[in-house]
Amino acid sequence: MKKRRQAKILEIISNQEIETQEELQALLIEFGFEVTQATISRDIKELRLVKELSSEGRYYYSTGKKNTQNINRRAGGIFNESIIKIDYALNTVVIKCFAGMANAACAAIDSMELKEVLGTIAGDDTIFILCTSEDNAREFTQKLRTMLNAY
């Protein structure tokens, strides 16, 4: 449950500018996670979320995308909880996930800011990733499989 909740937190903050723990708590409750402010606080600490300044001068939670080592570590945990199968065809990687988990896994992939990834799209249980070449798709698929086996 913790990994799924944390995956949902990463998904939420990647799609919206969340300014407060209370705002995050309300959204998690809306998605069916019964959480307290203390739980949110621990999740923020474990996920190593930071506050960034928006163009409007407000602070919001972020993964601090510049720290890719931490993102890869967190993503590995999310992938382990979410992904069933990874494969590729030509320059497209296809990832099958448990129902409802594709968006969180896709948000984790997007947060990696990989130069070989042109774009991603996620449904409920499937992610399509367009890579720059077939070789990059093969390497990216292997990289994700390695991450899965490491966690």
Side-chain angles (χ1 to χ4, degrees):
M1 186 64 163
K2 177 180 173 181
K3 291 285 186 189
R4 289 181 188 206
R5 183 182 64 246
Q6 289 183 348
K8 183 53 92 174
I9 289 171
L10 290 175
E11 177 186 339
I12 289 170
I13 68 166
S14 71
N15 294 320
Q16 301 178 50
E17 289 186 357
I18 304 299
E19 296 180 38
T20 65
Q21 291 182 9
E22 292 78 16
E23 188 179 352
L24 183 57
Q25 180 182 19
L27 287 170
L28 286 170
I29 289 171
E30 209 174 284
F31 286 110
F33 294 92
E34 291 299 319
V35 293
T36 64
Q37 185 275 329
T39 301
I40 300 279
S41 183
R42 280 190 299 273
D43 286 343
I44 288 170
K45 185 176 181 179
E46 287 178 22
L47 292 170
R48 297 182 184 189
L49 300 181
V50 296
K51 286 233 175 169
E52 290 189 13
L53 186 62
S54 72
S55 57
E56 293 86 33
R58 295 178 298 176
Y59 286 93
Y60 64 94
Y61 285 105
S62 167
T63 58
K65 295 179 182 180
K66 293 168 183 60
N67 193 343
T68 57
Q69 184 177 27
N70 285 336
I71 290 169
N72 289 343
R73 184 183 52 77
R74 287 194 312 262
I78 291 167
F79 293 155
N80 206 26
E81 292 289 322
S82 305
I83 295 177
I84 299 169
K85 180 182 175 186
I86 305 167
D87 214 337
Y88 75 97
L90 299 175
N91 65 329
T92 304
V93 177
V94 179
I95 302 174
K96 292 297 290 180
C97 299
F98 292 106
M101 296 301 293
N103 278 316
C106 192
I109 292 167
D110 288 340
S111 73
M112 291 181 199
E113 297 182 344
L114 301 167
K115 63 183 176 197
E116 66 267 20
V117 174
L118 292 173
T120 62
I121 187 166
D124 185 55
D125 64 354
T126 306
I127 302 169
F128 287 98
I129 301 167
L130 186 62
C131 293
T132 55
S133 69
E134 185 173 355
D135 288 339
N136 285 339
R138 179 178 32 258
E139 290 170 18
F140 182 67
T141 299
Q142 187 55 46
K143 182 179 191 175
L144 289 180
R145 287 178 178 159
T146 301
M147 285 178 74
L148 277 175
N149 292 330
Y151 295 94

